[in-house]
Amino acid sequence: MESLNNYEKLKANGGLRKLGFASVVALCLTVIGFFCYAFSHPFSQNQVAEITETWTYYPKNSPDSTFKSRYVKHLPQIRPNQIMVMERKMKTEVENPMLLIQGNHQWIKVTIDDHLIYEYTPTSTGGLASDNPGKSLKEIQLPADYLGSVLKVEVASPYQSYSGLPARVFVGEANSLMAYIFTLSIPQVLMMILGISISVVLLLIVGRTLKKQQRLDVQLLLLAAFAMTIGLEAAASDIVAGLLFSPIVNSTVAIILAALSPLFLIVYYCHKMTVMNTYYKYWVIPHLIFSLSLLISVAFTPLDMPEIKPWIDAVNLFGTLAITIAAICESHQKNRFYVFCTPWIVLVALAHCFLYIMEIMGTPYNHINFSGLFFIVILLVIFIYTVSEFLTNEEKNRKQMNFLEVKTALLEESREEMNHHLAEVEQIKKAFRKNLQMMQLLVEDGNLTGTQEYLAELMEDTKRMDGLPRFTEHSLTNLILSRYQKLAEKRSIDTSFNIVLPPTIAITDTDLTKLFAHLLEHAFRETYAITDPSQRKITLQVYCDQGKIHFYCEHTANYYENIFDRGINTDLPEKEEFDLWVLEKISKKYAGALKKSNTEKTDSVAITLSV
């Protein structure tokens, strides 16, 4: 008979699990180390720089109203389509000079000593001043004699939110300049990798669930969509994206993804709620309708994406307050997800609240994608919770499958024994019928002695009709103990099972099976090691008393002389330690206690469970 405990399986799988975990950690550290090195060693910092402190700003129609960029970061008095001039003198010489300029929904015109070297305006594109300029990025080769020349950049935007903001200008040696630009995009690249990777993992879990259970996990699908939009939005808002896509495509994709990210998140939050979901829906549904209507309206109205963004930010602002209240209420109601995530949800929601207020009030544009960064933080928290919950459920399912295999094996053994018993009963029935006929004849003849002999034979036959051993009212316990009783007979072990249990008890079948299996495996292993079969004895007592279940198992043992001393088995102490570890784990789960004691000839384990 095979052992019911899973010591060998755990022993075999432990090394693989440790190796897999170590490989994942090593891979993560390698990736992080690579990006850290790339961040600190990508270029010669002496040959490239972003120009921020040496500009002179002034409106083109009022050149006397000048402002120094060291003290002023933008000109709030600039109106839509009004031209703002950025001017400075080129003082640093580098080889192969290159100028890189980034516009954020701005028309741009660049001159060196009033000589035009680049123009991205409605005139050059053949459009209107009210058209969306998008997010542009352009490399411009500077003339060889640029040193001492005056660099002038004219900037205008059709949108109030971007009017008065300076364009982003980089200057330096061509190769170092591009390396510097890629350095600036490393945070966005990391966010993109994290978001898309998490989304792919979640989609694989969704596909696995769909295949195995024929069920679509909507919650994980929403979380995967949220992760994907964060990753793609980080890529679209990256400075390097301006080199890969046209300004309009770059701007449109970035704004649409930035608008969809919070929508997927709030719907996911709603699905995770158990108490507040009914009330939270009263906010989620109007929020979805309003935001999606604004996005769709761009296709049928003169509105542009940058014009509807402040409205979307405004509704998101109130959304952060709504989820803060709902998350705290759910956490108070002991919702496991919100108990774990609420501190982070509230922190990220309040951070977004301040970001939305700053954008609505027209605070100067920040080049750091704080919104995406905060979303990545909450995504990582939710992902960690989701993975841990998935692994926990997988472990529960695995344990359940192991238990079902054990129970099936027990039932198969019982079925074979029962089939054999039924065949024997059928033969007894025939003999019983024949004996009754003989008794009838003897009674008619008045042969009392012969009748008594046949009665004694019939009584003996009735004893043979008993079915499986019945130790208690609990069916699973009968199956387990029946198995071990047969095992004891094979190993010449004298057993005494005194079990008093009701038909149902407040212990899961899995835990009860583990408890009996490890108790008896422990006892059988040490008892069977005794060389003298007459000294092999196991006593098991189980009973309920005042809301507690008591288990007491005592067996004979000889630690000084047994068959394992002759090299038959070498891992006896290791298996004993494992059995006791499992028993102690189960006892703690049910707020119980385990006590082990031994003498020179006996070993006993007492377990008390509170149920």
Side-chain angles (χ1 to χ4, degrees):
M1 288 185 182
E2 292 185 3
S3 171
L4 291 185
N5 72 48
N6 55 353
Y7 169 77
E8 296 296 340
K9 293 180 181 178
L10 289 179
K11 186 177 179 181
N13 294 336
L16 292 177
R17 291 179 181 177
K18 291 179 181 178
L19 179 61
F21 178 77
S23 301
V24 172
V25 172
L27 178 62
C28 293
L29 292 177
T30 302
V31 173
I32 293 173
F34 169 78
F35 279 106
C36 289
Y37 180 84
F39 183 80
S40 56
H41 299 82
F43 60 93
S44 172
Q45 297 190 16
N46 295 326
Q47 299 188 43
V48 64
E50 179 180 2
I51 306 174
T52 57
E53 303 293 330
T54 57
W55 292 105
T56 297
Y57 299 149
Y58 59 88
K60 187 175 183 179
N61 57 1
S62 181
D64 296 330
S65 303
T66 60
F67 303 87
K68 297 295 183 180
S69 62
R70 180 175 300 177
Y71 310 106
V72 177
K73 300 305 178 184
H74 81 301
L75 301 184
Q77 69 271 27
I78 299 294
R79 313 312 303 170
N81 292 318
Q82 184 180 1
I83 297 176
M84 166 186 166
V85 179
M86 305 167 57
E87 185 176 290
R88 74 181 297 270
K89 191 172 183 179
M90 306 296 287
K91 299 179 180 180
T92 304
E93 184 178 8
V94 295
E95 297 180 1
N96 191 18
M98 179 76 72
L99 187 73
L100 190 139
I101 186 166
Q102 181 187 25
N104 190 6
H105 301 93
Q106 297 162 322
W107 301 114
I108 297 174
K109 184 178 180 180
V110 183
T111 61
I112 289 282
D113 286 341
D114 296 327
H115 176 68
L116 181 66
I117 60 174
Y118 172 68
E119 183 177 11
Y120 177 62
T121 62
T123 304
S124 64
T125 60
L128 302 175
S130 60
D131 290 345
N132 181 8
K135 299 177 70 174
S136 60
L137 185 69
K138 181 64 178 178
E139 301 172 84
I140 306 169
Q141 185 70 47
L142 291 175
D145 57 347
Y146 76 95
L147 190 64
S149 302
V150 175
L151 174 66
K152 185 184 295 184
V153 180
E154 297 181 3
V155 182
S157 175
Y159 313 117
Q160 183 61 54
S161 300
Y162 302 96
S163 297
L165 293 177
R168 202 174 183 187
V169 180
F170 305 87
V171 65
E173 194 272 331
N175 294 329
S176 297
L177 182 61
M178 294 311 301
Y180 179 70
I181 294 303
F182 281 106
T183 297
L184 295 179
S185 66
I186 285 178
Q188 297 292 98
V189 171
L190 287 175
M191 290 167 58
M192 178 190 70
I193 292 174
L194 276 175
I196 295 178
S197 299
I198 290 174
S199 178
V200 170
V201 171
L202 293 173
L203 289 174
L204 290 175
I205 296 176
V206 171
R208 182 178 181 275
T209 304
L210 183 62
K211 181 179 179 181
K212 285 194 170 185
Q213 303 179 15
Q214 301 297 312
R215 176 179 63 87
L216 181 64
D217 195 328
V218 177
Q219 293 183 8
L220 287 186
L221 192 61
L222 288 169
L223 187 59
F226 171 62
M228 184 64 73
T229 54
I230 290 177
L232 295 178
E233 193 267 337
S237 60
D238 183 23
I239 185 173
V240 178
L243 298 174
L244 304 177
F245 306 102
S246 69
I248 299 299
V249 171
N250 199 15
S251 166
T252 302
V253 171
I255 294 177
I256 290 177
L257 292 173
L260 291 178
S261 295
L263 299 185
F264 285 123
L265 185 59
I266 63 173
V267 176
Y268 174 78
Y269 283 152
C270 189
H271 272 272
K272 298 297 289 186
M273 293 180 182
T274 56
V275 177
M276 295 296 296
N277 57 344
T278 302
Y279 305 101
Y280 190 57
K281 285 178 182 176
Y282 291 132
W283 167 255
V284 171
I285 294 175
H287 188 167
L288 290 174
I289 294 174
F290 182 79
S291 298
L292 293 176
S293 298
L294 284 176
L295 291 174
I296 295 172
S297 68
V298 174
F300 304 100
T301 65
L303 291 174
D304 291 328
M305 283 291 178
E307 292 178 289
I308 67 169
K309 192 174 184 300
W311 293 95
I312 295 177
D313 290 340
V315 72
N316 287 338
L317 168 64
F318 293 101
T320 60
L321 303 178
I323 186 54
T324 298
I325 297 172
I328 293 174
C329 292
E330 283 290 324
S331 177
H332 182 69
Q333 296 296 327
K334 307 301 182 185
N335 183 320
R336 289 182 68 248
F337 170 79
Y338 283 97
V339 168
F340 181 83
C341 297
T342 290
W344 297 96
I345 292 174
V346 173
L347 181 64
V348 170
L350 293 179
H352 271 107
C353 180
F354 286 112
L355 284 179
Y356 294 139
I357 291 174
M358 291 170 62
E359 292 183 12
I360 292 172
M361 294 179 63
T363 304
Y365 178 79
N366 199 311
H367 299 299
I368 301 175
N369 185 6
F370 282 113
S371 178
L373 184 62
F374 293 142
F375 276 138
I376 281 290
V377 170
I378 194 61
L379 174 63
L380 286 173
V381 172
I382 296 174
F383 181 68
I384 290 171
Y385 172 85
T386 302
V387 170
S388 63
E389 187 181 50
F390 173 77
L391 294 177
T392 301
N393 291 334
E394 285 294 302
E395 182 66 14
K396 288 181 179 178
N397 293 337
R398 186 187 64 80
K399 290 180 179 179
Q400 186 66 22
M401 289 299 296
N402 289 342
F403 168 72
L404 291 175
E405 290 176 2
V406 169
K407 193 169 184 179
T408 301
L410 292 173
L411 291 172
E412 283 293 324
E413 291 178 9
S414 301
R415 185 179 66 84
E416 293 175 3
E417 187 175 344
M418 185 59 71
N419 289 338
H420 177 74
H421 179 70
L422 290 175
E424 189 177 16
V425 167
E426 190 65 30
Q427 295 177 356
I428 294 174
K429 282 171 58 179
K430 295 178 180 179
F432 199 81
R433 189 180 300 112
K434 182 179 179 181
N435 288 337
L436 286 176
Q437 292 173 352
M438 292 299 299
M439 283 180 61
Q440 184 179 7
L441 295 174
L442 291 172
V443 170
E444 290 175 356
D445 293 341
N447 189 344
L448 183 59
T449 303
T451 303
Q452 290 177 343
E453 291 177 357
Y454 276 104
L455 280 174
E457 191 175 340
L458 288 175
M459 290 299 293
E460 190 65 28
D461 287 341
T462 57
K463 293 180 181 179
R464 294 167 54 198
M465 295 178 68
D466 292 337
L468 294 174
R470 187 175 180 84
F471 303 96
T472 180
E473 297 295 324
H474 195 262
S475 58
L476 178 60
T477 302
N478 285 326
L479 289 173
I480 296 172
L481 296 184
S482 175
R483 183 186 206 274
Y484 279 100
Q485 187 180 56
K486 289 185 288 183
L487 182 61
E489 293 173 358
K490 290 184 177 181
R491 296 186 176 182
S492 302
I493 299 175
D494 182 23
T495 58
S496 174
F497 296 152
N498 183 15
I499 315 296
V500 182
L501 288 176
T504 58
I505 56 177
I507 302 177
T508 64
D509 288 345
T510 304
D511 289 336
L512 185 65
T513 302
K514 283 183 181 180
L515 202 150
F516 275 123
H518 286 280
L519 260 180
L520 293 172
E521 292 286 346
H522 169 73
F524 271 69
R525 190 182 306 113
E526 296 186 355
T527 304
Y528 186 55
I530 299 175
T531 54
D532 184 3
S534 64
Q535 299 298 318
R536 300 172 183 171
K537 296 180 181 179
I538 296 176
T539 301
L540 177 65
Q541 296 179 357
V542 183
Y543 62 94
C544 298
D545 180 33
Q546 298 180 353
K548 295 184 178 181
I549 300 181
H550 302 272
F551 297 80
Y552 179 78
C553 183
E554 182 181 275
H555 62 272
T556 54
N558 187 341
Y559 296 103
Y560 305 104
E561 182 181 354
N562 55 57
I563 61 175
F564 296 109
D565 291 335
R566 297 194 289 271
I568 295 178
N569 196 316
T570 58
D571 57 357
L572 178 63
E574 190 176 350
K575 288 186 176 181
E576 179 181 2
E577 183 180 349
F578 177 73
D579 285 328
L580 294 176
W581 175 77
V582 173
L583 294 174
E584 185 177 11
K585 186 177 179 182
I586 296 174
S587 65
K588 288 181 178 180
K589 180 178 179 181
Y590 292 92
L594 181 146
K595 181 180 179 182
K596 183 180 183 299
S597 58
N598 59 279
T599 65
E600 291 184 0
K601 295 296 183 180
T602 62
D603 192 341
S604 63
V605 177
I607 299 174
T608 302
L609 305 182
S610 299
V611 293

